[in-house]
Each structure stands twice: as structure tokens, then as C-alpha cells.
Amino acid sequence: MQRRYLSLAAAIATTMTLTLTGCGSGSGSDDVTLKLIAADYGDSHSNSSQHYWDELARAFEKKNPGIKVDVDVYSWTDVDKKVADLVKEGHAPDLAQIGAYADYAAKGQLYSADQLLSIPTQGDFTPSLAEAGEYKRIQYGMPFGASTRRLFYNKKLFSEAGITSPPQSWDDIAADAQLLKAHGVKMPFALPLGPEETQAETMQWMLSGGGGYTDSIGKYTIDSPENVKTFKWLKENLVGKGLTGTDPAKLNREDAFAAFSDGKVGMLNGHPTLMKQAAAKGIDYGTVELPGAHGKAKATMGVADWMMAFKQGGHRTQAGKFLDFVYSKKNVEKFSGEYSLLPVTSSASHAMLADDKYAKFHGSLQQLASAEFYPADKTSWPLVSKTVKAKMGAAVGPRGNPAGVLTDIQNTADATDNVGE
């Protein structure tokens, strides 16, 4: 009998320990400070994302007195590495708003979205974005800030060159670029394949040529016939004829946007941020869906950045409350409008589509539902993206070999995929 009572006492003690552990892991106590590392979407100190997050945190804390939110904002150059270093050191933040989630999800370090968010919040994500945030069919990446790509053109330069309508196909792009060059435009078509964001420009052209990084089941198709044909066309018809104005391998996206905003570029592929930048310099611009090989491209490219919640601190419940607040219609719409991004929820998207104040975003918003995204669910993608940045610019240069470069990248992708998946 005595042994039985000792066992009962031990069982009670064990139950109490588990209960206390459960409270500490986020299912009970609200007396915590959440640590968030976030990326900066501003282009100066005055409009840094730090201001947005500080204001949002204060508003949340007022409604939830037991939860504090401590936010550190870093530039896009540093933010991903900062989070990686913290995780490696055993000090993962509770929340991170960065560029990739799959590697952390693969290692079991993240809460899934359904462990964090209320059903209405999770159901409000734009479906294509929610799907892009899945690893092995479970959503770990919560979209935060999105954009689609369109072709931008300078209306004044087009008019001066006698061009009466924007291009609808690759042949139109080549013909218009020739006319712009003949009228003294320094960069008829800006083609940024420099190291900053080569993977984006590359994907846009792949899609416009009927290809892409992967097929419908997620297998890499980087050296597909469609992709080879696309970059051969670029090499021969734009770069080879001097219609890009500079070596694409040395042109970064930021510099291409700046040149367009200075009136030196006739056309380029861009996203909503360029609207604000060009308008600030008084550029009269237009946008159209990406031209394709024989007409409108099959799809546009979409880009999303990601919010994720790490398990290490154990603050699941508190992080979920904060994220429900972050993703309210009011807050998503405010952030998107302030930083010229597309909202990631259906409720905020519908609100912006119904508001003439956001008319310049309407074309991009209407494309978001069918946009195609980076294969961010693959743990191999960061290395593949890095390889694209290193090699694609030279592929379209005078001595470039598009087929050879695409095959090299395909081999890297296959080797990494076989190890990592």
C-alpha cells in the first residue's frame, strides 16, 4: 500500500511539472516579452519600418497588458543573417519577419500557422500566398508584404520616339527599344542581372518565355528548352544589339530603378515600390502585364516576404495573439499603403481595390491571385538563388552561353535538392 501511495504522489508531482512546463511554453501565462526581428522597408531613417513596428507594438500592449513586444529592425542586407546567427547561438527570437522560412521549418524549429493564428486570420491570407508559405503541405511561413511584377515604361520617352502603345510581346520590346535608342535614350531596356536581385529578373523572363524555376510538381526545370530559348533571345536581341545600355551583369535592380526615376530608362520590369520612387521624381510612367514571347506572358512573378514564429522561447499563445493583431485588416492595409506593397490578406486587398486612393496598385493586386512565386518551400532554394545571382548576368554577355550556364545551375539545384529534401 505504501508503494502505491508513493507512486500516486509521484504521478501527481509529474502532472504538476508538466502543467507548469505547459504554462511556460505559451499555453498559459501572458507575462512575457516577445522578441521580434524584422526587415526594414523604408528608404531613409524617417520612414524606417522601426517606426511602424514601435507604434504597432504600443497599440497591441495597450490592449494586452501582460505582453510586451520588443522589435529590432535591420536592413535587408543584414536581417536574414542576424536571425540565422541568433538561432545558431541558441537565442532564436520569438518572431522573425525575413526572406525565407523553409530551412527553419525543415529542422522543426517553427510553429505552424494553425498553432498560432485564429481560424479567421489564417483563412484571410490570399490563397496563393498561403500556399507559397507551406513546407510539406503545412503552412509555416506567414506572408508579410507582397508584390507582383509588371513592365514599366516612360510615357514621355515613348512619345518622343513615336511609340504609341506599350509593348505586348518580345518583338514589340525589341522594336520599341530600337526606336528609343535611335532617339538618344541611354538605356532603352534596363536589364538588372547584377548580384543584388538577379533571381527575380531571371524568373520574370523565365515566366514570360513559358518556363520557370520548377514544374507543377516542384521539380527544378532551370535548363528547360523554354528557359534556354528565353535567355538566348535576350543575348541576341537586346544585349547583343546594345539595347540594354550597360552590361546586365553589372546592373543592380536598385540602380535600374534609380535610372528609371531619373528619366534615363525607356522600359524595365518593376514592382509597386518603383511607382512611388518614379512619381517622386515627376516621371510620367505606365505599366502593363509582362510581355511574353508571342503575346502576354503566361503568368507574372509574385514575391512575398515571410513572418515566422520560433518554438524555442515557448511563447506560442502570446505570439499568436500578437500575430492576429498584426494581420488585422486595418494594420495590413496601413503597412501596405505606407511602403507601396500589396496586402497579403483578402480583406485588406478588397479594401484597397474598392478605394480609388490605391488605384495605381489595382493592376498589380488583380494579378496577385494567379502569380507564381519562388520555390521558397525548398530548403535548396537559398543556394540555388545564390548560384543564379553569381552566374546569370554573364550568360547573356558577349561571350555568354545561356544553355551552359542554365545547365550548371540545374546541376547545382539537383545535387542540393537530393541532399536537402
Side-chain angles (χ1 to χ4, degrees), residues 38-311:
D40 196 353
Y41 290 85
D43 53 17
S44 66
H45 176 72
S46 62
N47 73 342
S48 167
S49 299
Q50 187 74 56
H51 303 303
Y52 173 83
W53 283 113
D54 287 347
E55 183 180 338
L56 193 73
R58 285 194 297 269
F60 173 77
E61 290 168 357
K62 189 174 181 180
K63 292 185 176 182
N64 300 270
I67 310 174
K68 300 294 183 184
V69 183
D70 181 20
V71 187
D72 285 335
V73 170
Y74 293 85
S75 71
W76 274 109
T77 306
D78 302 322
V79 69
D80 288 278
K81 185 177 186 303
K82 178 64 178 177
V83 172
D85 288 345
L86 287 170
V87 172
K88 186 176 181 181
E89 293 163 5
H91 302 295
D94 296 293
L95 297 159
Q97 185 268 299
I98 52 178
Y101 65 87
D103 198 36
Y104 300 119
K107 294 174 181 175
Q109 295 170 324
L110 303 179
Y111 290 117
S112 60
D114 62 356
Q115 291 177 307
L116 296 159
L117 305 173
S118 66
I119 292 173
T121 298
Q122 189 177 4
D124 196 25
F125 287 130
T126 300
S128 60
L129 291 170
E131 185 177 343
E134 293 180 356
Y135 175 73
K136 294 189 175 179
R137 301 195 177 185
I138 297 174
Q139 185 183 1
Y140 294 95
M142 291 158 279
F144 190 89
S147 64
T148 57
R149 282 2 188 206
R150 292 172 68 84
L151 184 131
F152 284 64
Y153 62 98
N154 185 311
K155 289 184 177 181
K156 179 183 177 184
L157 296 181
F158 265 51
S159 177
E160 291 173 350
I163 305 169
T164 57
S165 61
Q168 302 294 318
S169 68
W170 288 357
D171 286 345
D172 292 344
I173 286 176
D176 291 348
Q178 287 283 11
L179 289 171
L180 290 163
K181 182 180 179 181
H183 281 75
V185 177
K186 293 183 178 180
M187 298 175 70
F189 194 104
L191 185 65
L193 291 173
E196 179 194 359
E197 208 179 39
T198 323
Q199 80 283 3
E201 189 73 15
T202 296
M203 183 172 175
Q204 290 168 79
W205 283 99
M206 285 178 170
L207 290 174
S208 69
Y213 281 120
T214 60
D215 60 18
S216 59
I217 60 172
K219 185 179 183 300
Y220 281 116
T221 54
I222 294 167
D223 62 350
S224 69
E226 293 84 1
N227 291 341
V228 171
K229 183 177 179 181
T230 292
F231 286 93
K232 185 178 178 183
W233 185 90
L234 281 173
K235 173 180 164 61
E236 295 175 355
N237 294 277
L238 287 187
V239 183
K241 294 182 179 179
L243 299 179
T244 58
T246 188
D247 181 359
K250 297 179 181 177
L251 181 65
N252 281 328
R253 191 267 309 160
E254 183 178 354
D255 297 326
F257 278 19
F260 184 84
S261 301
D262 287 338
K264 298 176 183 177
V265 173
M267 298 172 278
L268 82 171
N269 296 325
H271 54 69
T273 302
L274 182 54
M275 296 177 180
K276 182 178 180 180
Q277 193 172 335
K281 291 288 192 77
I283 299 298
D284 185 13
Y285 67 87
T287 74
V288 292
E289 294 183 45
L290 297 182
H294 305 292
K296 195 167 62 175
K298 69 163 189 174
T300 190
M301 173 187 165
V303 174
D305 303 317
W306 303 102
M307 178 73 78
M308 62 211 70
F310 286 88
K311 293 178 178 178

Side-chain angles (χ1 to χ4, degrees), residues 22-37:
C23 288
S25 68
S27 57
S29 172
D30 280 347
D31 191 14
V32 301
T33 296
L34 297 174
K35 184 66 180 181
L36 166 62
I37 303 292

Side-chain angles (χ1 to χ4, degrees), residues 328-363:
S328 68
K329 183 179 76 170
K330 174 185 173 183
N331 289 328
V332 172
E333 185 178 346
K334 180 180 178 181
F335 181 85
S336 302
E338 189 167 336
Y339 293 103
S340 297
L341 293 164
L342 301 182
V344 297
T345 61
S346 296
S347 59
S349 294
H350 292 151
M352 289 184 81
L353 282 170
D355 191 338
D356 289 341
K357 179 174 69 174
Y358 298 114
K360 64 182 180 180
F361 295 109
H362 289 176

